[in-house]
Amino acid sequence: MARNSAQWHEKPKFPNSHFVDSRIYTDDALFREEQEKIFNKTWIIACHESEVPNVHDYRTFNHPGGAKLFVMRGDDNKVRCFYNICPHRGNALLYDPVGNTKRITCIFHAWSFDAKGACVDISRGKAGYQDRYGCEDAGLREVRTEVGFGGFVWVAVDDGACTLNEYIGPALELLGDNLNEPLEVFHYHKAVVETNYKLWHDTNSEFYHDYMHYFNRATGMLQPGYFDRKYTGYANGHASVGSMSVKYDAYDGSKARAVGWPGLAPGGWVLIDIFPGMTYNLRTSVLRMDTAIPLGPNKVVIEFRGLGLKRDTPEERAERIRDHNVIWGPFGRNLHEDLLGVFGQGVAMRTGSDSKWVLHGREENSTIHDEVGMRHFYGEWSRRMGRAAYDPYGDNKLAKLERAA
Ligand code: FES
Ligand SMILES: [Fe+2]
């Protein structure tokens, strides 16, 4: 029987951890708070070391906390990150998304900086500032940067944040042997989707939606081992889904993947979600990295990188590129199915459709269709925000009754 308005708003008959209030996906003020309490306090992937391979290569990065940054490789080969802001009067320094320059010269009044962020020239400095201000006062704002866990360039805008190792903890141990060799990005693309970033991360945190994926139903869900995969939650909101072997030959038009990956069983698949919006997805021959960079509560840039081994022969690389692009990348169907799913959620939640509750209530012993991965994420989200995801403003009457009881 269909439900009337009162029934539709009834609190689900689950524990409070098993559903969330849909306003956490649409509310502008909550999003600003997420920038402050989540994105500006955690380690975020800006890019991969292979995207700045040479001395003086740079790449700009819009940090999800809002800061405009750029990553640059110094003459000492070290990768650093800075605010893309001139210390003089706040002009943007670099405009191209990628490039190579020995000196960064601000177009406004021609102050110059080197690749380590030191100011090397203030035009007519002495004439205007005498001895009151000089290059030593005018370095760029450096952002803590570490390269690791597969050669990714991680940044933390909060100088007081824990170390990257502390932040990741044991969450990437399942991939330990798979990330020992230098990697290289061979494919990058991005999708701009009108939805909330958490909804994308949700698709990487639950596999019940394999019903949406024709390909996964054939290669995964119908194969032995699929329902044995278990979620493991780690501190700081990270989670992994155990490995399984994917039967690619179960899908017409596909075949067993030949190239493989060091330390991974043939057809192996390991997926690890890193809070708040990054996913390592190692499938057989390709590592796919998803990074979700929100532009607001209702808009997200999702970056997709396909990585192979730096030492690949041209033939091996061609095989990885084909596997990535035709199955998991822009020319496959999985990605578009996922994008359709999160776009549909975004439309429903922000258009006043009265979508009040979002259920995360499946329990199947932490196996693949259990929604424990999302519950783990929202547990961490609530902790960092100081707000319950099921009742973010404390105005939920039913929740209040429950608290009073
Ligand atoms: S704002 Fe950059 S030199 Fe003036
Ligand atoms: Fe999916």
Side-chain angles (χ1 to χ4, degrees):
M1 213 203 294
R3 314 191 84 203
N4 63 28
S5 171
Q7 291 167 326
W8 176 253
H9 285 100
E10 264 170 36
K11 193 166 82 78
K13 294 174 193 149
F14 295 141
N16 291 338
S17 55
H18 286 43
F19 57 93
V20 299
D21 183 318
S22 63
R23 286 176 297 179
I24 67 167
Y25 299 113
T26 56
D27 189 287
D28 204 58
L30 276 183
F31 174 68
R32 303 286 157 222
E33 208 174 300
E34 285 177 304
Q35 287 189 300
E36 214 178 289
K37 295 181 175 173
I38 293 177
F39 291 107
N40 284 343
K41 298 282 184 232
T42 50
W43 284 89
I44 303 288
I45 289 174
C47 63
H48 187 262
E49 61 179 349
S50 64
E51 293 170 290
V52 282
N54 303 309
V55 166
H56 300 145
D57 279 352
Y58 69 82
R59 191 179 175 92
T60 57
F61 175 58
N62 294 332
H63 189 276
K68 306 283 186 204
L69 309 178
F70 69 91
V71 167
M72 189 166 212
R73 189 181 287 273
D75 0 42
D76 55 356
N77 237 344
K78 195 172 165 200
V79 177
R80 298 177 177 82
C81 182
F82 307 96
Y83 277 38
N84 191 10
I85 294 177
C86 179
H88 176 218
R89 277 175 34 203
N91 189 37
L93 291 167
L94 294 167
Y95 291 83
D96 290 339
V98 293
N100 180 289
T101 184
K102 190 172 174 190
R103 268 192 177 201
I104 302 149
T105 301
C106 179
I107 57 169
F108 214 159
H109 314 92
W111 290 23
S112 286
F113 308 88
D114 69 14
K116 289 181 180 157
C119 176
V120 290
D121 188 43
I122 294 180
S123 43
R124 300 194 66 247
K126 277 269 180 230
Y129 297 111
Q130 299 82 40
D131 293 326
R132 297 173 297 126
Y133 189 91
C135 271
E136 60 286 0
D137 304 306
L140 301 184
R141 154 71 156 101
E142 187 164 1
V143 175
R144 288 176 66 197
T145 306
E146 289 193 39
V147 177
F149 299 105
F152 289 94
V153 179
W154 298 77
V155 297
V157 295
D158 178 9
D159 283 349
C162 63
T163 65
L164 176 63
N165 272 331
E166 286 165 347
Y167 184 62
I168 299 296
L172 286 167
E173 275 174 6
L174 264 183
L175 281 172
D177 293 340
N178 309 126
L179 300 178
N180 290 340
E181 289 193 41
L183 307 181
E184 194 166 63
V185 172
F186 60 72
H187 180 93
Y188 170 91
H189 75 282
K190 61 185 176 183
V192 181
V193 191
E194 295 198 346
T195 195
N196 186 273
Y197 78 93
K198 296 188 288 300
L199 294 168
W200 179 260
H201 202 63
D202 286 354
T203 67
N204 279 327
S205 310
E206 61 90 3
F207 286 88
Y208 189 36
H209 81 274
D210 271 342
Y211 280 103
M212 182 166 68
H213 295 313
Y214 171 73
F215 187 90
N216 291 14
R217 285 206 304 269
T219 62
M221 212 189 289
L222 295 175
Q223 303 304 324
Y226 176 87
F227 285 101
D228 298 335
R229 295 184 76 183
K230 278 221 164 193
Y231 283 98
T232 308
Y234 304 92
N236 294 322
H238 318 313
S240 68
V241 193
S243 189
M244 79 167 284
S245 191
V246 181
K247 294 282 287 178
Y248 289 99
D249 48 4
Y251 174 67
D252 283 350
S254 184
K255 63 185 182 64
R257 319 320 301 174
V259 215
W261 191 276
L264 189 70
W269 179 19
V270 180
L271 183 138
I272 302 179
D273 289 312
I274 300 296
F275 186 90
M278 299 157 278
T279 301
Y280 284 78
N281 205 338
L282 178 61
R283 280 180 283 209
T284 303
S285 56
V286 173
L287 174 66
R288 188 178 106 188
M289 166 59 71
D290 295 5
T291 44
I293 313 287
L295 301 176
N298 298 307
K299 201 174 228 187
V300 60
V301 176
I302 312 164
E303 298 181 299
F304 303 95
R305 287 175 169 86
L307 294 101
L309 304 180
K310 201 170 174 197
R311 65 164 164 88
D312 279 342
T313 63
E315 295 72 31
E316 287 168 335
R317 182 57 62 89
E319 175 91 35
R320 291 192 209 283
I321 292 173
R322 197 173 63 226
D323 290 351
H324 176 266
N325 289 3
V326 304
I327 302 177
W328 308 302
F331 305 111
R333 55 183 291 164
N334 266 43
L335 192 59
H336 307 286
E337 289 162 348
D338 285 326
L339 291 170
L340 272 174
V342 299
F343 175 73
Q345 285 182 299
V347 168
M349 288 183 200
R350 73 175 174 272
T351 50
S353 65
D354 231 5
S355 176
K356 178 74 175 160
W357 306 112
V358 179
L359 306 184
H360 299 157
R362 292 183 64 85
E363 290 184 6
E364 290 191 71
N365 200 23
S366 293
T367 53
I368 189 129
H369 286 186
D370 194 313
E371 287 167 341
V372 63
M374 289 192 293
R375 292 194 291 274
H376 185 66
F377 177 95
Y378 289 100
E380 179 68 9
W381 186 93
S382 300
R383 188 181 74 78
R384 287 184 178 266
M385 292 288 282
R387 298 177 182 277
Y390 78 96
D391 183 21
Y393 287 112
D395 60 358
N396 173 337
K397 290 193 190 81
L398 291 159
K400 271 188 193 145
L401 285 176
E402 189 167 274
R403 267 199 297 268

